[in-house]
Amino acid sequence: MKHRVLMVGAWALVALLGAVASAGTAAQTLRWASQGDPQTMDPHSQNESMTNNMNGQIYERLTRRDKQLQLAPSLATEWTQIAPLLWRVKLRPGVKFHDGTPFGADDVVFSVNRAKEQSSQIAVYANAVGMPRKLDELTVEFQLASFNPIFLQHLDTLWIMSKSWCEKHKVTRPLDFKNREESYAGMHANGTGPYRLVTRQPGIKTVLQRNPAWWDRHEGNVQEMIYTPISNDATRLAALVSGEIDFVLDPAPRDVSRLRATPGLKVIEGVENRIVFIGMDQQREQLQYAKVPDGRNPFKDLRVRRALYQAVDVEAIRSKLMNGLSAPTGGITASTLGAYNDPALETRLPLDLAAARRLMHEAGYPEGFEVTLDCPNNRYVNDESICLALASMWAQIKVKVRVNAMPRVSYFPKIEKYDTSMYMLGWGGAITDAETLLTAVLRNPGEQGVGSYNYGRSRNDRFDSLAAQSSREPDAGKREALIKAALAEYREQIQLIPLHRQVIPWAARAGVNVVHRADNWLELSWVSMAGAR
């Protein structure tokens, strides 16, 4: 009965999409889908991949990524390190925002400072590039407080907005998404990028159209993009097979073999630069969402954290849930490159239920405890299913886990307010260096965005000191040693439970040609479609 209801819903949405398709007249319209929706059109408010991907068709950065994820010029044409703590950036002349106003140094200075605001989720990166100042209309300098070994990588995370547009619409600071704030920038956009926003209906549809005044050349031929979030795997698959959509960013792993065998479809896949892990509240003396016999916070005890780790059958998750489309790891960086491909930093603790039970007994929890695991159900591949599988595994050491799964639009504001006892998180993107994870996700919570994504608020002073030193060390060899020592310390204390790196399959109609990047980013200006609708 459940299967029939799901399929009725699937084909009802297919019919709706078909009606939309028949009403459209634009040539080369790309209709695509994913399980979730962008959270906001304010590019500094939320640092989440789908949100960044959609905003990244509209807004641009001073630099950009090529097809191999190497940095390339964008709104900046060149950059020079004048001194260890000073960078000079030359801006591209003749660029205009979608509303026709010219782009210049004032917009860069404004945007970097806007991104430093407390309500910004990229403040940790904006602070890392130092203080921007305008030299002339097309030149900006960045004065750093301390040496930054990945200055350009940090610069590449900062979206450029129009100063005059933000002032006109009273959006000079990012909207506070976690507290449900709304602003003009949340539903409207004005960038310099290859596409402009036409329609934004959260949870329903987002429509972009090609920007005819873009400063660069489109490699592809997509004139219009219609994005529809489709949360149900079967519905997304049915829509693709029927031809009502052209591309799916996240087909379910169990469907990939069927998609490969379906005439007129193709699958493109690759490992994503992303680590998926479980975090735990290690700050509160008593857990909020738990029943613990002695009233303490068991996650403060290394023995409990290790027991939970050693009760995870990550190979079962890989083979049964992910259909082989994951790379289990004991590492805690988005890419193996972040740990300098050191096998010692990638090796997992072995699955060992007997050892896990002994650890629980030694920690004073022979009968376990109860706890709630918060989990998204439309962000990572098989996220809710993985959380349910973990609950079953942890039941074997008498830890009773209630899975609280919810859409990303509710999930991220919840954990951003530290309203969680245990949670799932993924971290990755275009940057393979360990710095953006060490400082933003793992370090002790502090000022200027340090530890801003450490939702478990774990503290490890030795690790924190090593990571902080690596963030400003100019000598590459010394920096590598500091990063490895920091990662080894964090792994030893098991302050998160690593699971795997995702393998991301994309699925498309045969005539749709896309470029698959390791940051799971669909670049519309590179997409070409055979024929026309």
Side-chain angles (χ1 to χ4, degrees):
M1 178 62 73
K2 180 179 178 182
H3 177 71
R4 288 199 297 271
V5 170
L6 287 175
M7 290 308 298
V8 167
W11 290 111
L13 182 54
V14 167
L16 173 62
L17 290 168
V20 172
S22 64
T25 59
Q28 288 86 32
T29 295
L30 178 72
R31 292 173 168 83
W32 68 291
S34 177
Q35 62 179 332
D37 200 40
Q39 294 180 289
T40 174
M41 302 312 294
D42 187 325
H44 298 150
S45 174
Q46 284 288 289
N47 183 25
E48 186 267 334
S49 292
M50 172 53 69
T51 303
N52 289 340
N53 198 164
M54 193 65 70
N55 282 328
Q57 315 306 317
I58 301 166
Y59 291 99
E60 293 179 292
R61 307 179 300 276
L62 296 180
T63 55
R64 61 181 173 183
R65 300 284 175 173
D66 66 15
K67 294 172 184 176
Q68 288 74 44
L69 288 179
Q70 298 302 307
L71 289 173
S74 182
L75 294 179
T77 57
E78 58 183 279
W79 42 86
T80 306
Q81 189 173 15
I82 304 298
L85 302 182
L86 183 64
W87 286 78
R88 183 174 297 162
V89 176
K90 300 295 290 185
L91 306 181
R92 188 176 299 279
V95 175
K96 292 186 177 181
F97 287 95
H98 296 163
D99 65 357
T101 57
F103 155 77
D106 289 330
D107 302 301
V108 174
V109 173
F110 165 79
S111 297
V112 174
N113 288 331
R114 185 181 192 270
K116 293 181 181 184
E117 292 280 351
Q118 189 173 357
S119 55
S120 166
Q121 276 221 327
I122 55 174
V124 64
Y125 307 140
N127 284 310
V129 302
M131 295 299 297
R133 63 173 177 262
K134 172 184 175 180
L135 294 188
D136 58 45
E137 290 300 324
L138 294 175
T139 310
V140 176
E141 282 190 347
F142 292 84
Q143 182 67 57
L144 280 69
S146 59
F147 184 79
N148 181 349
I150 64 162
F151 171 83
L152 290 175
Q153 304 275 357
H154 281 130
L155 195 68
D156 189 60
T157 65
L158 306 179
W159 305 102
I160 304 303
M161 302 181 74
S162 164
K163 180 175 184 287
S164 61
W165 184 82
C166 288
E167 290 173 341
K168 176 182 177 181
H169 296 290
K170 297 180 175 58
V171 289
T172 54
R173 67 170 182 82
L175 69 87
D176 185 351
F177 188 83
K178 70 176 180 292
N179 288 315
R180 307 292 183 181
E181 183 180 11
E182 296 181 4
S183 78
Y184 189 84
M187 295 289 290
H188 303 82
N190 179 41
T192 59
Y195 291 85
R196 60 184 183 86
L197 179 65
V198 177
T199 303
R200 171 66 180 151
Q201 297 174 275
I204 301 173
K205 181 174 67 173
T206 300
V207 179
L208 306 183
Q209 286 184 350
R210 182 183 284 205
N211 173 19
W214 189 37
W215 59 269
D216 202 4
R217 179 183 65 86
H218 288 261
E219 292 186 24
N221 61 1
V222 172
Q223 301 292 328
E224 180 185 47
M225 180 221 79
I226 300 175
Y227 175 79
T228 306
I230 305 176
S231 60
N232 182 264
D233 292 341
T235 308
R236 289 200 307 283
L237 177 65
L240 181 66
V241 171
S242 70
E244 302 307 331
I245 59 176
D246 307 296
F247 174 80
V248 171
L249 189 74
D250 50 1
R254 65 177 177 274
D255 294 328
V256 170
S257 58
R258 175 184 170 187
L259 289 167
R260 291 188 197 280
T262 302
L265 300 182
K266 59 184 177 183
V267 173
I268 315 103
E269 68 181 41
V271 176
E272 185 183 15
N273 291 332
R274 182 172 305 280
I275 184 76
V276 178
F277 61 86
I278 300 297
M280 298 154 283
D281 178 356
Q282 294 161 64
Q283 190 268 342
R284 291 183 176 90
E285 292 302 321
Q286 294 183 330
L287 292 179
Q288 282 184 304
Y289 304 105
K291 292 182 180 179
V292 184
D294 60 8
R296 294 181 298 159
N297 180 348
F299 296 145
K300 285 178 171 286
D301 193 317
L302 172 59
R303 294 168 296 187
V304 172
R305 301 196 298 270
R306 187 180 182 100
L308 291 167
Y309 188 154
Q310 292 205 259
V312 173
D313 187 347
V314 75
E315 180 57 32
I317 293 174
R318 186 196 70 83
S319 61
K320 296 178 181 179
L321 288 180
M322 302 298 288
N323 281 56
L325 296 178
S326 68
T329 182
I332 51 177
T333 56
S335 164
T336 59
L337 296 173
Y340 299 90
N341 293 315
D342 187 337
L345 296 173
E346 288 289 315
T347 305
R348 284 188 65 83
L349 290 178
L351 169 65
D352 190 335
L353 287 176
R357 291 179 183 123
R358 283 196 303 271
L359 287 164
M360 290 291 289
H361 192 278
E362 290 171 10
Y365 301 104
E367 298 304 315
F369 54 87
E370 297 181 22
V371 68
T372 295
L373 170 60
D374 293 314
C375 185
N377 59 16
N378 64 350
R379 173 58 192 95
Y380 310 113
V381 179
N382 282 337
D383 40 19
E384 183 177 4
S385 296
I386 292 171
C387 288
L388 291 169
L390 290 172
S392 177
M393 293 170 187
W394 287 329
Q396 297 179 80
I397 58 172
K398 299 186 178 181
V399 177
K400 303 173 183 64
V401 176
R402 172 182 173 267
V403 174
N404 180 30
M406 66 196 82
R408 68 176 80 184
V409 71
S410 301
Y411 179 73
F412 287 111
K414 185 178 192 297
I415 64 172
E416 284 164 23
K417 292 186 284 189
Y418 308 115
D419 185 24
T420 184
S421 293
M422 199 176 198
Y423 59 92
M424 169 183 276
L425 192 64
W427 199 261
I431 300 176
T432 57
D433 193 279
E435 163 60 24
T436 54
L437 188 137
L438 291 178
T439 297
V441 184
L442 306 182
R443 280 190 59 189
N444 299 348
E447 298 179 349
Q448 295 190 325
V450 172
S452 54
Y453 296 92
N454 181 354
Y455 299 132
R457 292 181 286 180
S458 61
R459 294 192 64 87
N460 182 324
D461 291 340
R462 181 173 185 274
F463 160 79
D464 194 76
S465 175
L466 290 165
Q469 292 177 65
S470 75
S471 298
R472 55 180 182 267
E473 175 55 58
D475 182 273
K478 292 180 180 178
R479 181 168 182 262
E480 177 178 342
L482 286 166
I483 289 174
K484 286 183 175 180
L487 292 173
E489 169 65 20
Y490 202 89
R491 281 167 44 86
E492 181 68 24
Q493 295 302 314
I494 311 176
Q495 291 177 300
L496 59 79
I497 301 173
L499 297 176
H500 57 236
R501 298 186 179 99
Q502 299 179 149
V503 175
I504 298 294
W506 291 357
R509 306 293 301 173
V512 177
N513 296 306
V514 299
V515 177
H516 189 294
R517 290 196 330 199
D519 57 348
N520 198 29
W521 182 283
L522 176 68
E523 185 63 45
L524 281 179
S525 66
W526 296 342
V527 178
S528 62
M529 302 178 67
R533 283 186 178 272

